[in-house]
Amino acid sequence: MTESSNSTSAPARAGALEKKFREWCEAADIRILVDGENFAAPRPWDVVVHDGRLFGRILSHGTLGLGEAYMDGWWDCDRMDEMLFRAIRSGMEQHISNNLSGWLHEAAFRLLNLQSRSRAFMVAKHHYDADPALFRAMLDPFMQYSCGYWEHADNLEDAQIAKMELICRKLELKPGMSVLDVGCGWGGLSRYMAEHYQVKVTGITVSEEQLIVDREKAGSLPVEYMLLDYRDLPGQSTFCTRSGAGNGTWDRVVSVGMFEHVGRKNYRVFLDMIRKCLRPDGLFLLHSIGSNGGGCGADPWLTRYIFPNGALPSPSSLAKALEGVFVLEDWHNFGADYDRTLMAWKDRFEKGREAGAFVCDERLRRMFNYYLSSCAAAFRARTIQLWQLMLSPKGVPGGYRRPN
């Protein structure tokens, strides 16, 4: 091949990639506007491209390339959530993920146990142990880092209180009960249960920063917090003694927004462990984001930059893991509420950044904008869900009734 033909082949390939990408965007009613070209004023969901290498990067690395290119300043969009919603709804995600990078990512989650005991604390060190001021600015006063319940709420704080109240009513809490909170986060739910329902709560987390906040805010409430992986619950004699509960003696167990870090190869281990901790007549509420199935349940960009090793359960993988361990009493889906929750977090993040509530350079701003916008888009497109499952060891006598 001559030097001349080499020099013309690269632009030709780049042009072909751009044409293909533009066709997919056109099908989603998204316009691609390139710097230096004459174009009409962009609509809020149109993409303005600053670097022509964007198309090849996306088609080579899928959503990982798309997110990294945004962090690098290669493109912008005023309403990224709406643009990504249109892209996901049109099926573009499947197009751009059909490459070697996507296949290797899928294979890693299917073949390896990326959520083993030795890796349990990775997500905390990478994400949850970040600057507490950022999370205080972004989240509600209870610091609930999970979906709010918006049926009768018109602001984030009320939606999170409604979510906690819904959980308490589903668990049928009564004064004096012992409750285990697996993945307690910054402790808002634990303290709410103890204060409003007079129960004794034990919370476990893998985040040292969350543990500091938990213990500072516990005050005189009957709440105890431990830095502990769920696999170490049984056999922790001093832990069980101090908490007033032990193997098989908790009246209720709740886990909110933690199951996404368990991994499909560990679902049965997790559920067996919860079953051992729960009284035979107890109840377990599992609150988790879920996928519609058909993949590993993990986005490459999110697993690299936000939640290492995180993967969403599919309905079939979760149902299979429950067999022989728990009776499924109720399966509640309010995934559409997560769109509104994420957009509220995005708004609070931007206001906190502008007010100087936390340290934030341009790359961090772009990372959180892409994170919150892309997740909101996926919930809006209904490709991922939010589930609350009510589970009992042997079935509730006479049946379980979801509270209104």
Side-chain angles (χ1 to χ4, degrees):
M1 184 175 291
T2 65
E3 183 178 347
S4 176
S5 62
N6 266 327
S7 65
T8 58
S9 61
R13 286 196 300 270
L17 293 175
E18 181 176 346
K19 180 181 178 182
K20 181 185 296 186
F21 189 75
R22 284 181 179 274
E23 288 173 354
W24 294 336
C25 288
E26 184 178 350
D29 191 28
I30 300 167
R31 290 188 305 193
I32 302 297
L33 311 173
V34 180
D35 279 351
E37 297 180 357
N38 293 324
F39 52 78
R43 298 168 299 179
W45 60 87
D46 288 335
V47 174
V48 178
V49 178
H50 308 304
D51 192 313
R53 294 174 294 173
L54 173 67
F55 309 107
R57 190 171 184 178
I58 293 174
L59 293 176
S60 295
H61 301 287
T63 57
L64 176 61
L66 178 68
E68 288 184 332
Y70 177 73
M71 291 168 63
D72 290 341
W74 286 18
W75 62 275
D76 279 296
C77 180
D78 288 342
R79 281 294 305 275
M80 189 191 302
D81 58 297
E82 182 63 18
M83 181 275 290
L84 291 172
F85 160 71
R86 290 166 181 264
I88 294 169
R89 197 72 171 176
S90 71
M92 191 188 303
E93 187 175 14
Q94 285 69 41
H95 289 306
I96 68 173
S97 298
N98 188 22
N99 51 51
L100 179 60
S101 177
W103 301 334
L104 291 174
H105 175 78
E106 182 86 13
F109 275 84
R110 289 187 179 277
L111 299 176
L112 305 176
N113 185 359
L114 299 177
Q115 302 84 9
S116 63
R117 186 190 297 267
S118 64
R119 302 166 68 91
F121 290 79
M122 286 178 62
V123 67
K125 295 184 184 301
H126 183 85
H127 186 66
Y128 296 117
D129 287 348
D131 183 3
L134 186 157
F135 291 110
R136 283 196 297 269
M138 187 176 83
L139 305 177
D140 68 292
F142 290 92
M143 293 188 75
Q144 294 287 285
Y145 201 15
S146 57
C147 183
Y149 191 58
W150 292 85
E151 184 175 9
H152 302 296
D154 57 10
N155 62 75
L156 180 63
E157 182 175 353
D158 287 349
Q160 294 294 10
I161 292 173
K163 185 267 300 294
M164 293 189 292
E165 185 62 29
L166 179 67
I167 288 172
C168 292
R169 288 187 287 114
K170 284 184 174 183
L171 286 169
E172 300 176 355
L173 297 181
K174 295 179 176 58
M177 282 185 169
S178 61
V179 181
L180 173 63
D181 185 353
V182 181
C184 60
W186 288 278
L189 175 61
S190 299
R191 294 190 298 275
Y192 186 90
M193 291 189 291
E195 180 178 359
H196 294 275
Y197 285 84
Q198 295 79 54
V199 296
K200 302 173 183 178
V201 187
T202 301
I204 68 169
T205 177
V206 294
S207 168
E208 294 181 0
E209 288 295 331
Q210 288 181 340
L211 184 67
I212 292 171
V213 174
D214 292 339
R215 289 176 172 172
E216 286 178 349
K217 292 190 174 184
S220 60
L221 291 171
V223 180
E224 182 188 42
Y225 296 105
M226 300 292 292
L227 188 71
L228 200 69
D229 178 55
Y230 70 89
R231 281 162 285 216
D232 294 326
L233 275 167
Q236 296 289 317
S237 58
T238 56
F239 165 64
C240 294
T241 300
R242 288 201 308 270
S243 66
N247 191 10
T249 62
W250 274 288
D251 297 298
R252 300 289 187 264
V253 178
V254 61
S255 183
V256 178
M258 177 269 181
F259 195 67
E260 299 91 335
H261 304 302
V262 171
R264 295 181 185 179
K265 292 185 179 297
N266 305 303
Y267 289 169
R268 191 64 176 231
V269 173
F270 176 85
L271 292 168
D272 281 338
M273 204 67 74
I274 299 301
R275 177 64 186 86
K276 290 176 182 177
C277 292
L278 189 62
R279 291 173 58 91
D281 59 350
L283 289 172
F284 171 37
L285 186 147
L286 178 63
H287 173 119
S288 175
I289 301 172
S291 74
N292 290 344
C296 67
D299 175 77
W301 186 89
L302 281 173
T303 56
R304 175 170 294 187
Y305 289 97
I306 307 297
F307 301 118
N309 311 317
L312 305 183
S314 67
S316 59
S317 65
L318 184 48
K320 182 66 176 177
L322 291 171
E323 290 182 4
V325 184
F326 282 105
V327 174
L328 176 58
E329 301 284 357
D330 186 60
W331 193 320
H332 185 186
N333 183 354
F334 54 98
D337 285 21
Y338 226 142
D339 175 12
R340 196 168 177 183
T341 302
L342 285 152
M343 294 304 292
W345 289 345
K346 181 177 179 295
D347 180 63
R348 289 175 63 87
F349 176 90
E350 287 295 339
K351 288 179 178 176
R353 182 188 66 84
E354 291 170 0
F358 53 90
V359 177
C360 181
D361 61 17
E362 178 63 8
R363 188 170 179 82
L364 181 65
R365 183 195 73 81
R366 283 179 168 268
M367 185 180 80
F368 265 81
N369 186 31
Y370 185 83
Y371 155 46
L372 298 171
S373 297
S374 62
C375 290
F379 281 105
R380 193 177 308 166
R382 302 309 310 280
T383 56
I384 53 177
Q385 313 300 328
L386 188 285
W387 300 325
Q388 281 189 354
L389 278 65
M390 286 305 306
L391 306 166
S392 67
K394 297 182 178 181
V396 175
Y400 176 85
R401 298 291 182 269
R402 183 195 299 174
N404 296 323

